[in-house]
Amino acid sequence: MINGMMMHCNLNITSIMQHALALYSEQKIVTLKSDGVTTHEYTYEDAFDRVAQFANSLDRLQVSKGAKVGTIAWNTYQHFELHYAIPCSERIYHTINPKLPHEQLIQIITSAQDEVIVVEQDCLHIIESLHEHLKPFVKYFIVLGEIDETLESSLDFIFYEELIAKESITYDWPDIAEQSASGLCYTSGTTGAPKGVLYSHRSTVLHALTLSMANVVGLDENSCIMPIVPLYHISAWGIPFNAVLCGSKIVWPNSFAGNIEKIYNLIQTQAVDVSMAVPTIWTALKNYLQENNITEITLKRAISGGSSASYSLIESLSYHGIALENAWGMTETSSMGACNRINNLNGLSKSQVLKCGRPIFGMQMRLKGKNNELLPHNGVSEGLLEIRGHSVAESYNSNSSDQPTDKTTGNMKVWFDTGDIATIDVRGYMNITDRAKDMIKTGGEWVSSVEIENAMLGHEKVAEAAVIAANHPKWGERPLLILVAKPKAYIKHIEIETYLANRLHKWSIPSATILISEMPYTGTGKISKKSLREKYYDYFMENQ
Amino acid sequence: MINGMMMHCNLNITSIMQHALALYSEQKIVTLKSDGVTTHEYTYEDAFDRVAQFANSLDRLQVSKGAKVGTIAWNTYQHFELHYAIPCSERIYHTINPKLPHEQLIQIITSAQDEVIVVEQDCLHIIESLHEHLKPFVKYFIVLGEIDETLESSLDFIFYEELIAKESITYDWPDIAEQSASGLCYTSGTTGAPKGVLYSHRSTVLHALTLSMANVVGLDENSCIMPIVPLYHISAWGIPFNAVLCGSKIVWPNSFAGNIEKIYNLIQTQAVDVSMAVPTIWTALKNYLQENNITEITLKRAISGGSSASYSLIESLSYHGIALENAWGMTETSSMGACNRINNLNGLSKSQVLKCGRPIFGMQMRLKGKNNELLPHNGVSEGLLEIRGHSVAESYNSNSSDQPTDKTTGNMKVWFDTGDIATIDVRGYMNITDRAKDMIKTGGEWVSSVEIENAMLGHEKVAEAAVIAANHPKWGERPLLILVAKPKAYIKHIEIETYLANRLHKWSIPSATILISEMPYTGTGKISKKSLREKYYDYFMENQ
């Protein structure tokens, strides 16, 4: 084939920044300050002046091109600035979840080899405790928030505000090749070591552009979006790029995602009309509205991800004029890979509303049967969900041996195995019906059932252990432990809690234990999780 | 920089087709048949079955990969099918304007070296008259419409419907590299030979994706769009790709763009809510609504391009609930490069509404001063408009010596010189204030003032000639001829018409002639078109 004769312009994050500056320089960005009461407000233009300043700072500090810059930070304007300053100056931002266990933080930061770590003041103690592990490669610790002369630390650090204050607000932005790495985020979902997904400028821009479509997120200049989901969860599902591309007002709730009163007040005072969070937050909002007899709210769309929102929650929020929409995605899909756009509930069946949704443009989905055959998209056939797309990981960052793709197809097309069992219907609605990998999503965090089972199998009284995700009114799902005890043994739940306390993160400890006499098995001799789920999925709903 | 570790999927037109089939296979496409009364209706799935059939036909006919396939056709489902079957089977569709003078048609088709020409029955005579020129390279003539056994022609032709009927509705679509050429369209705007813009799969997909943004066209599954603008004008401004990407219902008005009663009936019966056309059509619609005392119409947005719509027209349509929005683009920008999105007229100044609009994402704009210096975007400074973007031509198809880009900048970034003089304000609104190239846009067609002037200078009575675009109530603009006669000579307009009749296409013949005693000049000794425009721009409005 001959080539077209059109310009090649790089799909890089810089082009989003420059487009927004040309059209939307006066648009607002509002952040709830760390006092939880007052707000910081500025314009896109102010933000990108500071982005240039931090890019100049990184050059002045001689941070290598291609270096990873770790961020341990909340949803604030400063963290937002890092999402541009780092990649647009040819470094790679690496968002780190401060709530992970220390062991995982060490694994992740060591794998990334962050040359710089930018950290909130209230997370500084985390880094202090990890310092022995980090000092071989971390050259600078930069502290966010306002300058506080009284702040003491065992680390040699620099204040972000002090650093950028001296710098020029212009920067000669390079035209970065689109395949260049821009960001890094580790998925801690499995029993193996955390695996890093290394986003490119191209994958990020195409993802942001696709989210802009009217039937996906569809923001514009009149929208006001508040990402409640943290920036360390895949850059708050890509909103720092998508919202700026669309010229929307952005509201950052800082570390107050869990404080529903502050969230509600931000929505009302800033006229937020779109927001994104896990179902746990939406349940809290629903309860808050009900308890306070609030009927009017500026919020019109609540996009829910991480796990599926229940129909009763969707119905309740619909009463308040809020369309709660399920979306599906993974760290490996740059966040949203499918969405279930709802204009209103009328005429939609309950089962359709509960589905994960339809793939966004550029996301291909297929179902594989037990013999690797492709299954029809008829809404009934269940198979392993495999995906392919512009914003899907091809492989994991180095130091991660577990590679995601099936490179054995021979047709040069790699597909990513999601580990989920799903159906797809003729209108493209995908629904996850089972988990091949036995993961549990609780309050937006992944818990590995296999990890808990392995820990339990070391207990002297345990013959067999199975952990399933069970429906939970607050956390979406919680791990439920099902045991067969050794002959003549008897175990209480309190013993389990004590036993696991030093072995697992607290959110991984099952919320209840059920003793049974015999496990159900599948035809191939494995414990049938499906049977256990059918029997015990609503255990927490029925036994509160 | 190190590369990201994300999948590389090609941005090709095939991916739009496959996405639409996965999500929107049941969506409707409606075409007004050539009888002007009945409609042809089918689904996306039906359409893409036939697309596969024609792709199979092209293979069976052994049409080369990379061959150009010329189309001389109206806005119908068959022409729509060609927009997918040709590029997705690794050929290049080449849309040809049947209304061009024969000389230009010969130039264009000879330049393209079309291996196949697909033609409407009522355009067959055009091809017959060109046959001597085409027979060295055109291997097949394929005739659209329904099979008519009585159709006679001096050409050896095949019916499209006969050809595809035998073929399979499946095709093993190749994964086309995104930089591959997909389409070709000639711009006939200048005095030189027509210049071909060779679109790539990537430029086409990125353009379609950007049009999907809420603040550009922003279609979704609930939209019904009717492109009145012909498919031979840059693929009806990209709608065959954008509408399918968004899953919208499409209505094709066949060759009836100029029949406002049929257009109105299609809007109402099909519930069209978005449409695209030149201002001439919107003026006709406004008149039709007024003359027939119609207040209600399903149309909500009318996108106007080709030339600027007047404020009085925008106001009149606003009364009927139609937002008439100016957009700007060129064949070299894959159609829309800027748009002036209006939610309602309230609060918008007249001057803002009349601007060409804001650049779409991926379109960079800059203004150059007389000494090649970059001018500020302050809404006041006027300079030569240069652009750069994913969907902007880098050079012209071979056989066109006139290349568009300024490759002398040395920074590897080429910019396209639009030939327009413009301003850009701080919110990105671009407005064309003058034409560097002296082109006239009349009823959606370009006329070169220089071509008319050169023809006139051959007239025995003419000393000096200048042609300007003058405001016209029906055609948007019409050429107005301003002459200085030779000493003692006197010329009537009727003499001009007779003189030019054999020399120019009929739409290039000026609608009026003004004799003056002396031309105004610029400082550098050129005729001041700007002075003439200031004096005579409203000539047709004042002298009807």
Side-chain angles (χ1 to χ4, degrees):
Chain A
M1 272 301 293
I2 62 169
N3 285 346
M5 300 175 83
M6 307 302 282
M7 292 183 185
H8 179 88
C9 296
N10 285 303
L11 291 160
N12 56 34
I13 294 172
T14 322
S15 69
I16 293 180
M17 172 170 68
Q18 289 168 338
H19 180 72
L21 273 175
L23 276 69
Y24 310 118
S25 60
E26 297 163 4
Q27 184 57 280
K28 286 271 190 300
I29 299 173
V30 178
T31 302
L32 185 59
K33 285 192 186 174
S34 56
D35 63 13
V37 180
T38 57
T39 57
H40 172 278
E41 300 194 14
Y42 67 175
T43 64
Y44 277 18
E45 187 171 12
D46 298 331
F48 291 122
D49 282 350
R50 287 164 52 88
V51 163
Q53 287 179 308
F54 189 59
N56 281 315
S57 301
L58 291 171
D59 286 359
R60 186 179 303 266
L61 294 175
Q62 297 189 293
V63 176
S64 321
K65 300 286 172 174
K68 277 100 176 181
V69 177
T71 72
I72 302 185
W74 311 121
N75 281 19
T76 71
Y77 65 102
Q78 289 177 325
H79 202 180
F80 167 78
E81 291 161 9
L82 301 179
H83 275 73
Y84 285 87
I86 298 168
C88 296
S89 70
E90 295 177 278
R91 283 94 183 183
I92 299 162
Y93 69 85
H94 167 211
T95 50
I96 301 165
N97 180 350
K99 297 183 176 174
L100 289 175
H102 278 206
E103 195 54 43
Q104 280 197 23
L105 285 171
I106 293 167
Q107 283 180 327
I108 285 172
I109 301 173
T110 306
S111 166
Q113 296 277 302
D114 295 307
E115 203 170 306
V116 178
I117 287 188
V118 189
V119 59
E120 297 282 2
Q121 293 180 24
D122 58 2
C123 295
L124 195 52
H125 66 279
I126 299 172
I127 292 301
E128 286 167 352
S129 72
L130 303 174
H131 187 218
E132 279 307 304
H133 300 276
L134 311 185
K135 65 183 183 189
F137 48 88
V138 178
K139 291 185 187 154
Y140 299 102
F141 295 98
I142 298 172
V143 172
L144 295 170
E146 289 170 25
I147 296 171
D148 175 3
E149 301 291 356
T150 68
L151 184 72
E152 290 190 1
S153 171
S154 58
L155 296 176
D156 189 17
F157 69 86
I158 323 165
F159 279 109
Y160 179 77
E161 293 296 339
E162 202 172 345
L163 195 61
I164 68 171
K166 322 169 227 183
E167 302 292 348
S168 162
I169 58 168
T170 61
Y171 189 90
D172 187 15
W173 299 110
D175 183 22
I176 300 175
E178 64 188 41
Q179 67 274 18
S180 303
S182 59
L184 176 62
C185 187
Y186 280 78
T187 173
S188 49
T190 72
T191 51
K195 289 174 289 185
V197 179
L198 193 62
Y199 306 111
S200 66
H201 280 266
R202 175 181 162 111
S203 71
T204 304
V205 173
L206 287 177
H207 192 252
L209 197 50
T210 305
L211 294 188
S212 306
M213 291 180 68
N215 63 354
V216 186
V217 182
L219 301 176
D220 67 18
E221 210 177 346
N222 302 311
S223 309
C224 176
I225 183 158
M226 177 163 67
I228 302 176
V229 55
L231 280 161
Y232 52 76
H233 280 329
I234 338 164
S235 296
W237 302 349
I239 289 306
F241 308 113
N242 172 247
V244 169
L245 174 63
C246 299
S248 305
K249 178 179 168 184
I250 309 174
V251 178
W252 295 112
N254 210 315
S255 61
F256 300 100
N259 184 322
I260 203 63
E261 186 177 0
K262 291 193 193 301
I263 291 294
Y264 172 75
N265 287 337
L266 273 178
I267 290 172
Q268 291 304 92
T269 56
Q270 299 299 329
V272 171
D273 59 354
V274 189
S275 184
M276 293 161 132
V278 294
T280 310
I281 305 278
W282 300 127
T283 303
L285 180 66
K286 178 207 73 177
N287 293 338
Y288 183 84
L289 295 176
Q290 286 175 349
E291 285 157 15
N292 294 279
N293 292 315
I294 298 166
T295 51
E296 290 200 9
I297 183 164
T298 68
L299 191 69
K300 293 290 162 279
R301 289 180 65 202
I303 299 173
S304 184
S307 56
S308 283
S310 68
Y311 192 76
S312 70
L313 179 58
I314 293 171
E315 258 187 337
S316 300
L317 287 177
S318 170
Y319 169 76
H320 295 280
I322 302 168
L324 179 64
E325 299 173 348
N326 277 315
W328 170 87
M330 312 171 70
T331 304
E332 290 91 336
T333 64
S334 310
S335 85
M336 194 186 286
C339 65
N340 199 337
R341 191 84 163 84
I342 295 168
N343 285 312
N344 65 68
L345 286 179
N346 298 336
L348 295 180
S349 70
K350 182 174 166 180
S351 68
Q352 187 183 321
V353 169
L354 288 176
K355 287 181 175 177
C356 297
R358 301 205 272 189
I360 63 172
F361 172 68
M363 171 70 77
Q364 301 164 65
M365 295 184 166
R366 69 181 188 187
L367 300 174
K368 266 205 179 164
K370 292 209 170 74
N371 302 311
N372 274 334
E373 78 281 17
L374 293 182
L375 300 179
H377 295 191
N378 55 14
V380 178
S381 300
E382 291 184 53
L384 184 67
L385 178 66
E386 293 192 333
I387 57 175
R388 182 171 156 71
H390 305 292
S391 302
V392 177
E394 181 159 271
S395 53
Y396 291 116
N397 191 35
S398 57
N399 301 354
S400 311
S401 58
D402 190 4
Q403 293 301 322
T405 50
D406 163 19
K407 300 211 181 193
T408 60
T409 55
N411 66 355
M412 298 301 291
K413 277 196 176 186
V414 292
W415 288 78
F416 174 76
D417 171 4
T418 62
D420 288 318
I421 304 297
T423 60
I424 300 174
D425 72 17
V426 291
R427 294 182 62 208
Y429 283 87
M430 183 273 288
N431 197 33
I432 293 175
T433 55
D434 202 357
R435 291 199 186 90
K437 283 183 182 162
D438 287 325
M439 301 304 302
I440 298 157
K441 200 68 176 275
T442 178
E445 301 290 343
W446 280 113
V447 165
S448 163
S449 60
V450 179
E451 190 180 12
I452 309 172
E453 289 159 8
N454 288 344
M456 284 315 303
L457 290 174
H459 192 284
E460 56 179 12
K461 295 184 184 173
V462 170
E464 288 178 287
V467 173
I468 62 162
N471 199 5
H472 192 279
K474 179 167 181 193
W475 299 107
E477 290 177 352
R478 285 294 303 151
L480 174 66
L481 176 63
I482 298 149
L483 292 180
V484 175
K486 285 190 179 160
K488 300 184 188 166
Y490 181 77
I491 322 174
K492 290 185 193 161
H493 182 63
I494 183 79
E495 290 177 70
I496 306 290
E497 288 183 330
T498 311
Y499 176 75
L500 292 178
N502 297 318
R503 291 176 168 83
L504 298 176
H505 193 280
K506 64 177 180 186
W507 65 51
S508 295
I509 297 171
S511 298
T513 303
I514 299 173
L515 270 181
I516 59 175
S517 58
E518 196 181 345
M519 286 287 175
Y521 288 96
T522 67
T524 58
K526 292 180 185 166
I527 293 175
S528 171
K529 292 281 185 86
K530 197 170 179 180
S531 305
L532 292 174
R533 274 187 217 110
E534 278 166 11
K535 196 159 180 186
Y536 298 113
Y537 186 66
D538 284 324
Y539 180 85
F540 294 120
M541 309 304 270
E542 294 156 2
N543 296 276
Q544 282 196 71
Chain B
M1 272 300 292
I2 62 169
N3 286 347
M5 300 174 82
M6 307 301 283
M7 292 183 185
H8 179 88
C9 296
N10 285 304
L11 291 160
N12 55 34
I13 294 172
T14 322
S15 69
I16 293 180
M17 173 170 67
Q18 288 168 338
H19 180 72
L21 274 175
L23 276 69
Y24 310 118
S25 60
E26 297 163 4
Q27 183 57 281
K28 284 272 190 302
I29 299 173
V30 178
T31 302
L32 185 59
K33 284 192 185 173
S34 56
D35 63 13
V37 179
T38 58
T39 57
H40 172 276
E41 299 194 15
Y42 68 174
T43 64
Y44 277 19
E45 187 171 13
D46 298 331
F48 291 123
D49 281 352
R50 288 164 52 89
V51 163
Q53 288 179 306
F54 189 57
N56 281 316
S57 300
L58 292 171
D59 286 359
R60 185 179 303 266
L61 294 175
Q62 297 189 293
V63 176
S64 321
K65 299 287 173 174
K68 277 99 176 180
V69 177
T71 71
I72 302 184
W74 311 120
N75 281 19
T76 70
Y77 65 102
Q78 289 177 324
H79 202 180
F80 166 79
E81 291 161 8
L82 301 179
H83 276 73
Y84 285 86
I86 298 168
C88 296
S89 70
E90 296 177 277
R91 282 93 183 185
I92 300 162
Y93 68 85
H94 167 211
T95 49
I96 301 166
N97 179 350
K99 296 183 177 175
L100 289 175
H102 277 208
E103 194 55 41
Q104 280 197 22
L105 286 172
I106 294 167
Q107 284 180 326
I108 285 173
I109 301 173
T110 307
S111 167
Q113 296 278 303
D114 294 307
E115 202 171 306
V116 178
I117 287 189
V118 189
V119 58
E120 298 282 0
Q121 292 179 27
D122 58 2
C123 295
L124 194 52
H125 66 281
I126 299 172
I127 292 301
E128 286 166 351
S129 72
L130 303 175
H131 188 219
E132 278 306 304
H133 301 276
L134 311 185
K135 66 182 182 189
F137 48 87
V138 178
K139 291 185 188 155
Y140 299 102
F141 296 97
I142 298 172
V143 172
L144 295 170
E146 290 169 25
I147 297 171
D148 175 3
E149 301 290 358
T150 68
L151 184 73
E152 290 189 3
S153 170
S154 58
L155 297 175
D156 190 16
F157 69 86
I158 323 165
F159 279 109
Y160 179 78
E161 293 296 338
E162 201 172 345
L163 195 61
I164 68 172
K166 322 171 227 183
E167 303 292 346
S168 162
I169 58 168
T170 61
Y171 189 90
D172 187 15
W173 299 111
D175 183 21
I176 300 176
E178 63 188 41
Q179 67 274 17
S180 303
S182 60
L184 176 63
C185 187
Y186 280 78
T187 172
S188 49
T190 72
T191 51
K195 289 174 290 186
V197 179
L198 193 62
Y199 306 111
S200 66
H201 280 265
R202 174 181 163 111
S203 72
T204 304
V205 174
L206 287 176
H207 192 252
L209 197 50
T210 305
L211 294 187
S212 306
M213 292 180 68
N215 63 353
V216 186
V217 181
L219 300 176
D220 68 18
E221 210 177 347
N222 302 311
S223 309
C224 176
I225 184 159
M226 176 164 67
I228 302 176
V229 55
L231 279 161
Y232 52 76
H233 280 329
I234 339 166
S235 296
W237 303 348
I239 290 305
F241 307 113
N242 171 247
V244 169
L245 174 63
C246 298
S248 305
K249 178 179 168 184
I250 309 175
V251 179
W252 294 112
N254 209 315
S255 61
F256 301 100
N259 185 323
I260 203 63
E261 185 176 358
K262 291 194 192 301
I263 291 293
Y264 171 76
N265 287 337
L266 273 177
I267 291 172
Q268 290 304 91
T269 56
Q270 299 298 329
V272 171
D273 59 355
V274 188
S275 184
M276 295 162 129
V278 293
T280 309
I281 305 279
W282 300 128
T283 303
L285 180 65
K286 178 206 74 176
N287 293 339
Y288 184 84
L289 295 176
Q290 286 175 350
E291 285 157 16
N292 294 280
N293 292 315
I294 298 166
T295 49
E296 291 199 9
I297 183 164
T298 68
L299 191 69
K300 294 289 162 277
R301 289 180 67 203
I303 299 174
S304 183
S307 56
S308 283
S310 69
Y311 192 76
S312 69
L313 179 59
I314 293 171
E315 258 187 337
S316 301
L317 287 177
S318 171
Y319 168 76
H320 295 281
I322 303 168
L324 178 64
E325 298 173 348
N326 277 314
W328 170 86
M330 310 171 72
T331 305
E332 289 91 336
T333 64
S334 309
S335 85
M336 195 186 286
C339 65
N340 198 337
R341 192 84 162 84
I342 295 168
N343 285 311
N344 65 67
L345 286 179
N346 298 336
L348 295 180
S349 71
K350 182 174 166 181
S351 68
Q352 189 183 321
V353 169
L354 288 177
K355 286 181 176 178
C356 297
R358 300 206 272 190
I360 63 173
F361 172 68
M363 171 69 77
Q364 302 164 64
M365 294 184 167
R366 69 181 188 187
L367 299 175
K368 267 204 178 165
K370 292 210 171 74
N371 303 310
N372 274 333
E373 79 280 16
L374 292 182
L375 300 179
H377 295 189
N378 55 14
V380 178
S381 301
E382 291 184 53
L384 184 66
L385 178 66
E386 292 192 334
I387 57 175
R388 183 171 155 72
H390 305 291
S391 303
V392 177
E394 181 159 88
S395 53
Y396 290 117
N397 191 36
S398 57
N399 300 354
S400 311
S401 58
D402 189 4
Q403 293 301 321
T405 49
D406 163 19
K407 300 213 180 191
T408 61
T409 56
N411 65 355
M412 297 302 291
K413 277 197 175 185
V414 292
W415 288 78
F416 174 75
D417 170 3
T418 61
D420 287 318
I421 304 298
T423 60
I424 300 174
D425 71 17
V426 291
R427 295 182 61 209
Y429 282 88
M430 183 274 288
N431 197 32
I432 293 175
T433 55
D434 203 356
R435 292 201 187 91
K437 282 183 182 162
D438 286 326
M439 300 304 303
I440 298 156
K441 200 67 176 276
T442 178
E445 302 290 343
W446 281 111
V447 165
S448 163
S449 59
V450 178
E451 190 179 12
I452 309 172
E453 289 159 7
N454 288 344
M456 284 315 303
L457 290 173
H459 192 284
E460 55 179 13
K461 294 183 182 175
V462 171
E464 287 178 288
V467 173
I468 62 162
N471 197 6
H472 191 280
K474 179 168 180 192
W475 299 107
E477 290 177 352
R478 285 294 301 151
L480 175 67
L481 176 63
I482 298 150
L483 292 180
V484 174
K486 285 189 179 165
K488 300 182 186 166
Y490 179 76
I491 321 174
K492 290 186 196 162
H493 182 64
I494 183 79
E495 289 176 70
I496 306 291
E497 289 184 329
T498 311
Y499 176 73
L500 293 178
N502 297 317
R503 290 175 168 84
L504 299 176
H505 193 280
K506 65 178 179 187
W507 64 53
S508 296
I509 297 171
S511 297
T513 302
I514 298 173
L515 270 182
I516 58 175
S517 59
E518 197 181 345
M519 285 286 175
Y521 287 96
T522 67
T524 58
K526 292 179 185 168
I527 293 174
S528 170
K529 292 280 186 87
K530 197 169 179 181
S531 305
L532 292 175
R533 273 186 217 110
E534 277 165 15
K535 197 158 178 184
Y536 298 113
Y537 186 67
D538 284 325
Y539 181 86
F540 295 120
M541 309 304 270
E542 294 156 1
N543 296 275
Q544 284 195 69

